[in-house]
Amino acid sequence: MKKLIIALAAVMISVATYGQAQLNFSNRGGGVDFPIFGPNGTTPAGLLGNVTAQLYLVDGATLTPLQPTTGFRTAAGGEAYLSPIAVTVPGNSGTPVQLVLRAFQGASYDTALVRGQTAAFSATPALAPATPGNLTGLGTGRLQLEVIPEPSTYALAALGLGALVLFRRRK
Amino acid sequence: MRTKTLLMTAALTAAGVATSMAQVYSVNAVGYVNKTVPANGLALVSNPLIAQNQQIKSLFASVPDGTVIYKYNPGSGFLIAEKDFGEFNEPAGSATVAPGEGVFVRNPTGQAITLTFVGEVPTGARQTPIPQGLSIVSSQVPQAGTLTALGFPAAEGDIVYKWNQAGQAYSISAFDFGSWDPAVPTLEVGEAVFVQKAAATSWNRTFNVNQ
């Protein structure tokens, strides 16, 4: 019985692996040229340090992160471009998908103080033996990351505004 | 008469001695290479040796029914040869796979398949034309190593798609800004890769067995 369960699980895993389409997670090549820069608009994002890029599957308002993530090229002149990597789209057998590319400094997009994302774009993952589909819908353009103010910054601003109002009233 | 026989015997002996003393070297080195195609999976393999018959139906004669060979033709896409009832469909089955080329092999069974390539080691000046766009290529010289060590003509904008047998997925490397990223791809003997080239070129190597 145990052997049967193990064999069944192995078959399930192999079937699951067999039919998953892949994308070429790269912002350069194949008709795509979409460099990513830091908040000043000129520093390549790869030079900011600890910046990660990730693709997300868009389904209505839901964003599902895809794996793996990637970093930036280290060669001189290439630091605004991603280190290319093949990303698997679970359950997809080669049909077009809507995606968003996010880049962030630190552990996660949600907690990052420097981050940015593209508008939704389309791409078609490909099943082997075909090579992974390019992010054709990304096209040409650029992504500039933004500085996200910390909650304490907002609190300080609110305090300052409050003090100003109080000061004026007293006057 | 006796003298004549003696002279003939002496001449034959001298010829025999001369023949045995002449050192005759074979310039051909022959051998075999085994490649494994995982159960229910794909492998991207090359034909690493010059076989007497390089047609798909001969190179892959031992594979079980249901096995599919995908040969990529730039411009027209995959030529598909499937073995059924003990033979490959034509004309795909008669297509050749020479050293420097490669094919995907899909194993439909629950057991790994071992492919055995037998033939002569390619030596001398070897040239593998690589077209613009996508193609499947391999090293004509049956050596393992990085593409750099194997003399691959890398150029700006090159993308190499290497098939990871264990994970049944691609890994990607790009040659841009003068270097490979994330790493220079490596090849095993009998392994092929998909290459995307911005311009046509030729992968040239000169190889001798003693190298």
Side-chain angles (χ1 to χ4, degrees):
Chain A
M1 185 64 185
K2 204 173 178 181
K3 276 183 182 172
L4 192 72
I5 292 169
I6 292 169
L8 212 64
V11 169
M12 296 273 280
I13 290 165
S14 64
V15 167
T17 313
Y18 212 43
Q20 290 186 7
Q22 287 190 297
L23 288 163
N24 177 6
F25 187 13
S26 171
N27 58 346
R28 181 177 163 87
V32 179
D33 190 2
F34 210 92
I36 301 171
F37 294 94
N40 67 5
T42 55
T43 305
L47 292 180
L48 299 177
N50 197 23
V51 177
T52 302
Q54 189 163 22
L55 280 177
Y56 288 73
L57 205 56
V58 180
D59 183 13
T62 309
L63 295 184
T64 306
L66 297 176
Q67 298 293 342
T69 61
T70 191
F72 286 78
R73 296 183 188 190
T74 51
E79 301 94 338
Y81 294 98
L82 301 173
S83 193
I85 197 163
V87 168
T88 299
V89 184
N92 187 291
S93 54
T95 52
V97 290
Q98 285 290 304
L99 300 161
V100 156
L101 188 164
R102 282 178 166 179
F104 52 91
Q105 191 174 40
S108 76
Y109 183 83
D110 292 331
T111 59
L113 300 179
V114 175
R115 68 188 190 191
Q117 69 174 37
T118 65
F121 61 92
S122 63
T124 307
L127 274 176
T131 52
N134 290 325
L135 303 183
T136 45
L138 198 55
T140 54
R142 72 203 311 269
L143 172 62
Q144 186 173 329
L145 306 185
E146 296 171 336
V147 176
I148 309 298
E150 286 188 73
S152 56
T153 312
Y154 285 119
L156 271 174
L159 268 173
L161 203 67
L164 196 68
V165 170
L166 211 67
F167 181 73
R168 282 209 162 174
R169 272 192 186 168
R170 279 192 182 168
K171 239 183 172 183
Chain B
M1 182 66 188
R2 191 179 271 185
T3 312
K4 205 173 181 181
T5 309
L6 204 67
L7 280 170
M8 282 283 280
T9 309
L12 281 171
T13 307
V17 168
T19 308
S20 65
M21 283 179 75
Q23 290 184 322
V24 178
Y25 292 107
S26 169
V27 291
N28 301 336
V30 293
Y32 71 95
V33 172
N34 282 339
K35 296 301 292 179
T36 303
V37 186
N40 292 308
L42 284 161
L44 184 46
V45 301
S46 71
N47 168 17
L49 302 167
I50 302 168
Q52 283 191 332
N53 183 342
Q54 304 199 123
Q55 291 181 317
I56 286 173
K57 61 186 173 191
S58 174
L59 289 174
F60 302 97
S62 65
V63 299
D65 270 9
T67 302
V68 185
I69 313 296
Y70 300 86
K71 179 176 179 179
Y72 187 80
N73 290 320
S76 59
F78 284 106
L79 182 71
I80 298 172
E82 181 168 7
K83 193 177 185 187
D84 212 0
F85 300 106
E87 61 181 14
F88 282 98
N89 58 294
E90 293 292 355
S94 292
T96 57
V97 184
E101 299 179 331
V103 290
F104 261 107
V105 181
R106 185 186 292 278
N107 174 5
T109 73
Q111 304 248 313
I113 299 173
T114 301
L115 306 169
T116 302
F117 296 95
V118 181
E120 188 188 318
V121 176
T123 53
R126 316 300 307 181
Q127 295 177 338
T128 304
I130 307 178
Q132 181 188 23
L134 268 178
S135 61
I136 296 179
V137 298
S138 59
S139 169
Q140 281 209 44
V141 177
Q143 286 178 321
T146 64
L147 284 189
T148 309
L150 296 172
F152 178 80
E156 286 293 300
D158 282 359
I159 302 174
V160 170
Y161 302 91
K162 182 182 158 88
W163 183 250
N164 176 350
Q165 275 195 205
Q168 288 292 291
Y170 281 102
S171 61
I172 301 171
S173 292
F175 188 85
D176 239 339
F177 304 101
S179 66
W180 286 103
D181 196 293
V184 56
T186 55
L187 276 184
E188 296 297 321
V189 174
E191 185 182 15
V193 287
F194 248 117
V195 171
Q196 170 85 43
K197 276 273 183 193
T201 185
S202 181
W203 184 352
N204 301 331
R205 283 219 42 206
T206 301
F207 176 71
N208 294 309
V209 180
N210 292 332
Q211 275 184 302

